[in-house]
Amino acid sequence: MTKLKLALAGGLSAVALFATANAALAAGELHIFNWGEYTNPALIAKFEKAYDVKVTVDEYDSNETMLAKVRAGHSGYDIVVPGDYAVKIMIEEGLLAETRPNEMPNFKNIEARFVDVYWDAGRNYTTPWTHGLTTFAVNTDAYKGPADSIALLFDPPEELKGRIAMLDDMVSIIHAAERYVGVPRCTSDREELKKVYDALMKAKPYWRTYSVDSINKLVSGEADVAQTWSGSAVVVRQQLASVKFALTKEVMEAFSDNVAVLKDAPNLENAKLFQNFVMDPENAALTSDFAGYANAIKGSAAFFSADLKAAPELNVPADAATEFVPPCSAEVTALYNAMWTELRR
Amino acid sequence: MAAIVNHRTSTAGSGLSLAAPAIVLAVVLGCIPLAFVVVYSLLTPASFGGVEWVASANAYRSLLFRKDLFSEELVFSPDHLMIFGRSVLLALATTVLCFAVGFPTAAYMASRSPRARKWWVLAITIPFWTSLLVRTLALMLIIGDQGLINGLLIRSGLINAPVAMLYTDFAVLLGLLYSFLPFMVLPLLSSLEKLDPRLLEAGADLYASRWRIALQIVLPNIRPGIAAGCLLVFVPALGSYVVPLILGGGRSMMAGDLIALQFGTSRNWPLGSAESVVLVLFVALAFALSNLVRRRAA
Amino acid sequence: MNRHLPRTFALFAGLSLVFLYAPILVLCSFSFNGGRLFHRWEGFSFAWYAKAIANEGFRDAAVNTLVVSTAATLLATVLATGAVIGLQRAGGRQQQFATALIGLPLVVPEVVMAIATLIFFSSLRNATGVDLGLGNLVVAHTAFCVPFAMMPIRAALRGVDPSVLTAATDLYASDTATRRHVLIPLLMPGIGSGAALAFMVSFDDFAMSQLVAGPGQTTLPVFIWAQLKRPLTPEINAMSTIMLVVSIALICLSMAVTARGKLTTR
């Protein structure tokens, strides 16, 4: 028993030591909470060196996980990287600090079309991190046919039935169905919703998995088509050349992730420095190279690696239609929920 | 006898003080979540996760009904029944399988010398010092379409196309069996270690067969271990969500996935809370049943 | 005992080990994969080990995991042992009620427990300014580890012959002395099993750690989960193998220390 007590005392003092060690270093810190595999270590090292700040990076898997933690208050994080709709929610709920990126020196580098965005008009809170598309990728070794329509997910040829991996993402999948049947996003019209529902239920047996790593199923040979994000497709293509990201004739879903500072950020000034830092073309290129996504900084492409410069996933033709989708109303979301549960039961 | 009774009253106080820390911790971090789900299940969902403090029984209603897409009418929807039913069945199957494999294993371990037993306990535990996610991914490498088993079968000419094992209920069950086997073996072992060997001797002296000894003498005498093991397997299996999500491919959810979904991307905390309340009731029912069985048996 | 049990039991035990170790062996052997993809073998290499060791995120997460699991296991085992011994002589109904209370964290779905604990700690921080740092995570882990640690200890207690304890008190041993010198040694195998279970549960926890961890407190399961967004590489196998080896080394070390302690006291 005494041995147990000794061990316990040792364990507790180790924990206490950790807690105090964390507190002692509090000057010159920055705590970043970002999506998984999204932060280039080289970017962080460069920032640490430039401003003599110790940076920690933790990672999350969905906007909702991040929101749950931030809403509870005093999360200890300075920077989060919410997706476009999440930025809107966080501003409405007063979770973000109004850091006025539009007055920062590097603000001049932002592409004009990324200034007046629906989630942060005029950029009073956030700076752009990356943006990309959500469509699908095919393994051209297994499927040689055309891949230019979202119909491939909903009405696939015989050889692809049961060989499709979807994202574990209610909103993306239902919006895809809306595009397939040709109705507006977030429609509350019952007739139109019925069409969406029928398309989903018809496609249900064709879809083999729902997961955040859908693209990995192409690599492991468990699927030949995967609903996925453009950046994931870039990273996978670099390792498996037969993976091709589809640019569809239907309007394509676009998303944008943004660098935001929390209202209760312990290191507000360092966080502002970081917001300005990521608007530098060379720094933005570090992020794009690492994550495989485009960014909204003018002149950044000049610093891309050769592969990324030529990447078909990023060089979207000028006539291709893309859209950012604001969040749907609570009533529509409730209907989405019911369909989603039936799809996954 | 009088002495024992006396003894009992004199030390009950000091005994409770030993148990107090565990009880306090459980009350603080066990009752709060419980109160939390009961309260939240009766509120209205806020638009993007969290709740609005407006009372509503909608969450419970939507366990069984949903608004029809055409009319405003409520129609019966079996989604929740199917998901909960599947969860209970899979958790039960996991418990039975764990026991079928775990009992002989634990009995064999108990028959070793105390020194050897220590190594066996270690051997059973070591695989679990890798992350659950990683172990699950490793299982995928074995049962996947291009995994080891299919690879061997195809190379040996037994089959031409891979057998789909991954993303089926079989895969989920295999993953759950893997994850929870030690949770059955270790409690069984603690009971078996305390089994009086003279009982077995007596059985053998009466010419009972080895199987009869195992089933009719050993089993009834390790009931506490069986109850503990079944509880430690059934309850977490019922609420588990990482294994079914990965090995089941997210196609047919279990209750744990469903609840995680409501608190995550579905952003319906009251519904997730109502589902949790139902899950807790299921578990309470299982407790009550196992208690009843134990009392009947005794 | 063995000579009275069916012979096939040894076979079962052997098969259990094969079943438990097959994925681990696959996992470890693929860590030497020279290729870039998790699923495809392309020759032998140590490259992924070098990469894993150089990965700062992994190193931090590994240290956090080991610290939290070790502390939570010790705390949970002590609390569970205290609870079992303390409740040993309590009346039937009282004992049942207390045990059910302690088992509560087992019953609540992990996601719910995690969100409620997150809200609890942040309210505590807002109200009193108390922040235990990594200690928050240790307390949270301890809460759900106690029921796991308690079950085998309780099972062991049911097997203890009460007359042994009566004999001790008859010989005028104090309650404390009886507990320390008679009861605890008798329960030791159960306590060991309980600690093993607690360690496994804490080591594997994802839901609680994801929500309760503060900046720089990411644990290994959370770290690995975030990696799933990219194509998997054998780096994950190398990381797991390293963790396995480190854990085994730590256990061997602690066993060696305990063994030496026993030798010198004798």
Side-chain angles (χ1 to χ4, degrees), chain A residues 124-147:
Chain A
N124 288 312
Y125 295 87
T126 62
T127 62
W129 176 257
T130 59
H131 56 90
L133 299 173
T134 311
T135 64
F136 59 92
V138 295
N139 186 348
T140 51
D141 280 348
Y143 173 74
K144 313 276 184 207

Side-chain angles (χ1 to χ4, degrees), chain A residues 158-169:
Chain A
E158 205 52 47
E159 75 252 42
L160 288 181
K161 287 179 179 168
R163 303 285 297 162
I164 300 174
M166 300 298 283
L167 286 171
D168 190 355
D169 185 336

